[in-house]
Amino acid sequence: MKMLNRQKPQLERRIVGSTNRWRFPRESFSGDLLALSQLCKSLSIDFEEALRNPDRICITQIQKLFTENLKNKAVQSGEADVILECLGFKWELHQPQLFQSETLTRLYLVALSRGTMDPLRELDKLLRAQTPGKSKEPSHIKKMTISLKINDPLVTRVAFASALKNLYMSEAEINVDDVLGVLASAHILQFAALFQRCVTIMMNGLTPSTFKSFYLASCKYREKQLTMACEKWLEMNLVPVLGKQVHLRSIPQDLLHKVLKSPSLFTFSEFHLLKTMLFWVYLQLNQKIQTVPIYETVLAFFNSFPRKCAFLDRDTGQCLMPLFVSLRLHGITRGKDLEEIRHVNFFPEAWLTRITANHYHALENGGDMAHLKDFTTQALRFGLLFTQGYTTYSKTIAVYGFFFEIKGIKHDVTSYSFYMQRIKHKDLAFPSMVCEHSPVSLRAERLIKYEIRAHVLVDGKWQEFRTNRIMQKFGFVKPSCKSHALKIQTVGIPIYASFAFIFPVS
């Protein structure tokens, strides 16, 4: 018997990158890792993703070809090439625009191969029809119907129509009210350019009313850029903005915990932050309340629980314990504020005893905060919100009998400076407001470790300015009474200026 030698079909070679590496175009992956790596680089595809899903390379190549040709073509207005059935509607689309979406590209290629014995031939006809100079004769591409099922509740017909419109008009207007649905549609369609545009719109459109939905969307679609923008916005606006609105209720507990531990968190004082947290807990437990109550109402609510057990020791409060552990309650030094903390029936007795003992030892030792070891997580924080109408803005603070003025000055349209200075208690403009329930220290000098920061939003991006951590002895006369100034240049407003300090052992 003679064995017939079958003639092997001649295989085409495809040059990949700048070297003579090749792979078989009729196979999804030939096993040539170097060629695959070079191909991924030329198409801007993640190499590991290509190993997991080699078919994506083919789709990306086709998308790249069509999008390059699309730049040189006018938007088609003739008969549609494709009918897309989705959300109970039939949408007419054209090939060049359709191939901007990875999802629609995949559906179209599957439909193209269906019902034919030679799908590669059909694909070759499609590519020749779209490649300039490859074919002198017009190729007839058959019209077909594709279907897409969407289960994402965020995708509405209006939002999906807006997403498809962006296939034809890259700068089509996107309403902020619809941007969440358009983002979801872009995710379903795998329309990267539109998805990124929606992310930018959402980053610039963060408000108390949009914050929660935008943050949840960033987590759902794993968009880290948007998640970070939401976290940063909350760090700056938790106390000055959300602390006064019912939207405070919408902050997820895990996100709130993360923001409370951030060293960039802005607050007017540690007591302001505590009040904001008490409001948040109150709104969680009273879901029917649609307006932020006055502070006295919140105090009365927690005082209504039996005195034998503090709120955080109850079953309801146990899950909230990590939030309040993150607060710097040792930074609340004003006598009246300390009285409120003791009588609100919220904190365990052991917490109150520790706070009182630390204050007693600090006062006994001239203000030395021996119990504070870590500046980043324990420094006392005070803040100024420098808004449009200010040319000069200052506040007076008192800590263990030492009085300081924290101040911001606008020098010209874009130039600002922020600093703190020690003042005598008898020089206070309104001594009764600051000195009430407060001791007065007669020490001539006070050693302080401090840092001044400023944050401002400009064109959707946060600018941060800061001094070094500085150790300085503050006296009563210049220049020792004044800190180093943080000088900044910015066109943004408002400016969130934060002053953090401790009194080291001297």
Side-chain angles (χ1 to χ4, degrees):
M1 295 178 60
K2 288 185 178 181
M3 295 188 66
L4 298 176
N5 293 325
R6 295 183 180 179
Q7 186 177 0
K8 294 183 179 181
Q10 187 174 0
L11 296 172
E12 301 175 8
R13 289 187 172 186
R14 177 179 301 169
I15 303 299
V16 178
S18 59
T19 60
N20 191 24
R21 304 293 298 179
W22 58 273
R23 60 188 295 270
F24 300 135
R26 295 174 186 271
E27 298 177 3
S28 60
F29 175 42
S30 67
D32 191 338
L33 292 175
L34 181 55
L36 180 63
S37 174
Q38 292 171 336
L39 182 61
C40 288
K41 288 180 180 178
S42 66
L43 295 173
S44 300
I45 301 172
D46 182 71
F47 181 63
E48 293 184 1
E49 174 63 24
L51 289 175
R52 289 192 296 266
N53 185 14
D55 291 336
R56 189 186 170 201
I57 298 178
C58 176
I59 294 173
T60 305
Q61 285 178 301
I62 295 172
Q63 282 187 287
K64 187 174 183 180
L65 171 64
F66 274 95
T67 51
E68 286 178 354
N69 290 341
L70 183 61
K71 296 176 183 178
N72 303 317
K73 286 189 174 185
V75 175
Q76 298 185 26
S77 58
E79 186 178 355
D81 307 303
V82 181
I83 302 297
L84 171 63
E85 294 180 346
C86 184
L87 299 175
F89 276 81
K90 293 184 177 181
W91 316 82
E92 295 187 343
L93 302 173
H94 299 85
Q95 286 173 352
Q97 285 74 28
L98 173 146
F99 280 101
Q100 294 177 82
S101 160
E102 187 174 320
T103 299
L104 297 183
T105 301
R106 186 179 291 105
L107 291 174
Y108 183 82
L109 294 179
V110 170
L112 188 69
S113 63
R114 190 181 299 121
T116 178
M117 297 299 294
D118 192 353
L120 288 177
R121 182 180 178 183
E122 292 294 331
L123 178 58
D124 183 62
K125 287 169 60 179
L126 173 64
L127 296 176
R128 287 178 180 275
Q130 295 297 328
T131 306
K134 288 291 183 182
S135 177
K136 296 181 180 179
E137 298 180 2
S139 299
H140 175 70
I141 305 300
K142 61 182 180 181
K143 188 174 182 178
M144 60 185 64
T145 299
I146 59 177
S147 298
L148 177 62
K149 292 183 179 180
I150 298 178
N151 297 319
D152 193 331
L154 292 178
V155 180
T156 64
R157 289 175 176 175
V158 172
F160 191 72
S162 180
L164 294 180
K165 182 179 179 181
N166 274 268
L167 291 173
Y168 293 81
M169 302 172 61
S170 59
E171 296 301 322
E173 183 179 355
I174 300 176
N175 193 314
V176 177
D177 295 334
D178 299 326
V179 69
L180 202 57
V182 177
L183 177 86
S185 301
H187 178 77
I188 294 291
L189 293 172
Q190 291 296 287
F191 187 179
L194 177 60
F195 187 87
Q196 186 55 49
R197 189 173 165 216
C198 290
V199 168
T200 301
I201 292 173
M202 294 166 76
M203 288 171 61
N204 293 328
L206 285 168
T207 65
S209 60
T210 63
F211 169 79
K212 181 182 179 180
S213 59
F214 287 4
Y215 173 74
L216 294 178
S218 74
C219 297
K220 180 177 182 178
Y221 302 118
R222 299 180 181 180
E223 179 48 48
K224 291 184 179 180
Q225 187 181 14
L226 181 57
T227 301
M228 291 174 63
C230 290
E231 291 173 355
K232 191 64 180 181
W233 186 89
L234 186 59
E235 287 175 3
M236 295 297 106
N237 293 289
L238 172 62
V239 174
V241 178
L242 279 172
K244 303 174 184 177
Q245 300 190 25
V246 74
H247 296 294
L248 177 67
R249 173 192 286 135
S250 65
I251 305 175
Q253 183 172 337
D254 58 340
L255 174 61
L256 184 58
H257 187 213
K258 183 175 183 179
V259 168
L260 288 176
K261 294 191 296 182
S262 170
S264 299
L265 174 64
F266 175 85
T267 181
F268 298 117
S269 69
E270 302 302 337
F271 188 65
H272 278 88
L273 181 57
L274 171 60
K275 289 171 64 176
T276 299
M277 288 303 302
L278 292 177
F279 276 118
W280 182 85
V281 175
Y282 177 85
L283 292 172
Q284 300 302 310
L285 300 177
N286 297 273
Q287 291 290 328
K288 293 182 179 180
I289 299 295
Q290 296 303 314
T291 57
V292 176
I294 59 175
Y295 181 55
E296 287 71 21
T297 300
V298 176
L299 294 179
F301 171 77
F302 291 114
N303 279 321
S304 66
F305 290 92
R307 303 291 300 182
K308 63 181 181 180
C309 183
F311 179 82
L312 287 181
D313 283 332
R314 298 178 180 276
D315 293 339
T316 309
Q318 284 289 330
C319 63
L320 303 177
M321 191 76 78
L323 297 177
F324 289 88
V325 169
S326 302
L327 299 184
R328 305 180 188 185
L329 298 178
H330 57 266
I332 302 174
T333 60
R334 186 167 172 253
K336 183 179 179 182
D337 299 339
L338 291 169
E339 285 296 315
E340 288 186 5
I341 292 176
R342 176 164 293 279
H343 291 101
V344 72
N345 194 29
F346 190 89
F347 296 101
E349 186 63 32
W351 291 28
L352 300 175
T353 301
R354 184 174 64 251
I355 293 170
T356 303
N358 287 335
H359 288 332
Y360 176 81
H361 289 302
L363 286 169
E364 193 176 46
N365 292 278
D368 291 353
M369 301 176 181
H371 55 287
L372 303 186
K373 306 299 183 183
D374 182 26
F375 186 94
T376 301
T377 60
Q378 295 181 308
L380 280 63
R381 298 168 294 187
F382 296 89
L384 294 177
L385 187 59
F386 204 94
T387 56
Q388 182 70 47
Y390 293 140
T391 54
T392 301
Y393 182 45
S394 65
K395 288 197 314 186
T396 303
I397 57 177
V399 178
Y400 296 146
F402 298 91
F403 301 91
F404 302 89
E405 180 184 36
I406 56 176
K407 193 170 187 177
I409 300 175
K410 181 177 181 180
H411 301 286
D412 56 43
V413 178
T414 61
S415 179
Y416 303 83
S417 64
F418 298 90
Y419 63 91
M420 59 185 288
Q421 63 181 0
R422 185 181 177 189
I423 55 178
K424 296 179 180 179
H425 72 280
K426 62 183 180 181
D427 294 334
L428 297 173
F430 302 98
S432 60
M433 295 178 61
V434 181
C435 294
E436 186 180 10
H437 304 289
S438 175
V440 175
S441 175
L442 301 178
R443 289 185 60 170
E445 291 183 331
R446 174 64 256 178
L447 183 65
I448 301 178
K449 185 177 184 179
Y450 66 92
E451 178 184 61
I452 305 173
R453 296 187 182 197
H455 293 83
V456 59
L457 186 62
V458 178
D459 296 330
K461 296 181 179 179
W462 286 97
Q463 294 179 342
E464 180 177 357
F465 308 89
R466 60 194 297 182
T467 64
N468 295 323
R469 289 178 186 171
I470 302 170
M471 191 82 79
Q472 177 183 335
K473 286 186 177 180
F474 280 75
F476 287 118
V477 296
K478 293 181 179 180
S480 66
C481 68
K482 186 177 178 180
S483 74
H484 290 250
L486 174 63
K487 299 178 181 180
I488 68 173
Q489 295 283 336
T490 183
V491 296
I493 207 77
I495 301 171
Y496 301 78
S498 296
F499 301 77
F501 61 83
I502 61 174
F503 292 171
V505 177
S506 57

